[in-house]
Amino acid sequence: MRHLLSTGDLSRDEATLVLDTAAELAQVGDRSVKKLPTLRGRTVVNLFYEDSTRTRTSFELAAKRLSADVINFSAKGSSVSKGESLKDTALTLQAMGADGVVIRHSASGAAHRLANWVDGSVLNAGDGTHEHPTQALLDAFTMRSRLGRLEGLRVAVVGDILHSRVARSNVLLLTTLGAHVTLVAPPTLLPVSVHTWPCEVSYDLDAVLPKTDVVMMLRVQAERMKESFFPSTREYSRNYGLDGERLARMPEDAIVMHPGPMVRGMEISAEVADSPRCTVTEQVANGVSLRMAVLYLLLGGS
Ligand code: CP
C-alpha cells in the first residue's frame, strides 16, 4: 500500500494490520519518553486547506512520536491566497523532500489528484464530502478496544450523512471488518446513491437505538449547506438528537461515539457527551496511535 485515500481500498487483512499496529504503538504513549526512531530522516507535510483541530494535531504528534520531520502547511497565510494551485503547492513541497503528504481539502477527490502528482505517500485527512479514512480507522479501533470485536457489531451512524466523509469511510471499513451498519437520517440528509452503499437505512432513530451496540452521532455540517434541509434546529434535535432519555433505551453496554467537533444541544446533549459511555476523548487519544500506525506502515514499515 503506497497511499491511504479511501477505506474502500483496504482489504480485511490490511485494515486489521493497521488496527493491530496501532494497538502496539499505543504502548509508546504510556512511556515516559514517548518517541520511536522509526521515521528519523523522513519528512511529513501536513497540507491543510480546511480547518481542523483533531486530525491535524494528531497527525503532527504521530509523526513526531515516530521522529519524522514535520512541516505544517495551511492554505491561510500561504501563497495559495495569491492563486497558487494545489498541484504547484504540492510540487513545491515535494521539491523540499516530502516523503509523505497528509492532505485535507474541501474538494472531493483532492487526495486522489495529489497522488498522481507527488512521488511520496498521500494520506487523505478528509476530502470534501468524500472520505476521511483515518477517522474511520480510529473509530473501528475504538469500537474494538471498548467492545472486544468488530465482527457482527451493530453500528448506527446518525445525522448529516449527505455531507459526511466520516459516514462513507465508516460504512466501507466497518462492512469490510464484518460489522452491520445502519444509517439514520431524515431523507433530505441522505445521498441519492445511498441504496448502493453496503448498509441499511432508517429514518427512525427510536426504532434503531434498542438494537445497536454503537451509535455514532454526526454533526450537521451547516457550512456545507446552501439551502434548508430541515424545518428547524429544534425539530432536528427532537427527531435525531441523542439525549439522556434515548441513551437509556440503548442496550446497557452500547457506546456513543462522535468524530468531533460536537455541537452540544443539537445532535448530542451535554449529558450524553459527558457520559462515560461516550468515547469522544478516547477516539482522539486513539487517533494518535492509529495515525502513527498508518505513517509507520506507509513510510517506514516493512
Ligand atoms: N474529526 C475530525 O476530523 O475533526 P477535525 O475537523 O477537528 O480534524
Side-chain angles (χ1 to χ4, degrees):
M1 195 169 66
R2 182 163 149 228
H3 307 295
L4 179 60
L5 304 176
S6 160
T7 52
D9 296 337
L10 296 173
S11 67
R12 192 178 181 127
D13 284 351
E14 285 169 333
T16 304
L17 175 66
V18 175
L19 303 187
D20 291 346
T21 307
E24 282 188 35
L25 291 170
Q27 294 165 20
V28 176
D30 300 332
R31 296 190 197 160
S32 54
V33 179
K34 299 178 173 50
K35 243 177 155 65
L36 291 174
T38 320
L39 295 186
R40 192 181 288 151
R42 304 289 217 142
T43 302
V44 175
V45 175
N46 284 326
L47 186 56
F48 276 66
Y49 283 78
E50 260 192 351
D51 294 343
S52 168
T53 298
R54 282 147 285 269
T55 312
R56 183 181 168 142
T57 49
S58 71
F59 261 117
E60 180 177 354
L61 187 56
K64 285 181 171 168
R65 283 197 177 161
L66 293 171
S67 305
D69 294 322
V70 181
I71 299 170
N72 287 314
F73 174 97
S74 70
K76 282 176 203 144
S78 76
S79 288
V80 170
S81 60
K82 301 171 196 162
E84 191 162 31
S85 67
L86 173 61
K87 181 174 182 176
D88 287 328
T89 305
L91 293 178
T92 301
L93 295 165
Q94 181 176 277
M96 294 181 205
D99 298 293
V101 181
V102 178
I103 179 169
R104 170 166 291 189
H105 201 285
S106 58
S108 298
H112 282 83
R113 298 281 288 167
L114 189 66
N116 292 325
W117 297 325
V118 298
D119 298 329
S121 295
V122 175
L123 295 91
N124 184 359
D127 61 328
T129 59
H130 179 230
E131 284 228 33
H132 193 351
T134 55
Q135 179 67 46
L137 284 160
L138 76 87
D139 291 338
F141 182 88
T142 304
M143 288 176 211
R144 199 178 72 162
S145 305
R146 272 276 188 135
L147 303 170
R149 69 193 163 99
L150 288 165
E151 181 73 49
L153 271 193
R154 300 162 301 172
V155 181
V157 182
V158 184
D160 182 2
I161 310 294
L162 180 65
H163 301 103
S164 176
R165 50 201 179 201
V166 174
R168 187 192 308 270
S169 286
N170 261 295
V171 167
L172 295 174
L173 180 68
L174 289 171
T175 50
T176 297
L177 291 168
H180 304 291
V181 183
T182 303
L183 300 175
V184 186
T188 50
L189 287 178
L190 286 163
V192 282
S193 63
V194 76
H195 61 277
T196 65
W197 295 25
C199 61
E200 287 178 36
V201 174
S202 171
Y203 309 130
D204 186 350
L205 179 58
D206 289 314
V208 171
L209 284 179
K211 299 178 278 183
T212 56
D213 301 300
V214 177
V215 59
M216 185 183 295
M217 302 307 297
L218 299 178
R219 181 176 66 89
V220 171
Q221 300 195 30
E223 72 277 18
R224 298 194 201 275
M225 295 180 179
K226 292 187 186 72
E227 55 194 281
S228 182
F229 287 83
F230 43 84
S232 69
T233 303
R234 211 166 141 191
E235 184 167 328
Y236 178 86
S237 257
R238 196 167 53 233
N239 291 326
Y240 294 100
L242 189 63
D243 59 10
E245 242 176 73
R246 284 195 164 121
L247 181 68
R249 279 186 246 133
M250 290 168 56
E252 214 171 296
D253 297 335
I255 57 170
V256 178
M257 303 183 73
H258 197 304
M262 294 188 283
V263 181
R264 289 172 181 241
M266 175 83 171
E267 75 275 8
I268 190 165
S269 71
E271 181 189 358
V272 176
D274 294 331
S275 144
R277 293 172 70 183
C278 180
T279 62
V280 66
T281 50
E282 212 172 303
Q283 287 167 260
V284 174
N286 290 337
V288 178
S289 314
L290 190 285
R291 289 177 176 121
M292 284 172 75
V294 168
L295 288 168
Y296 169 75
L297 291 168
L298 290 183
L299 304 184
S302 57

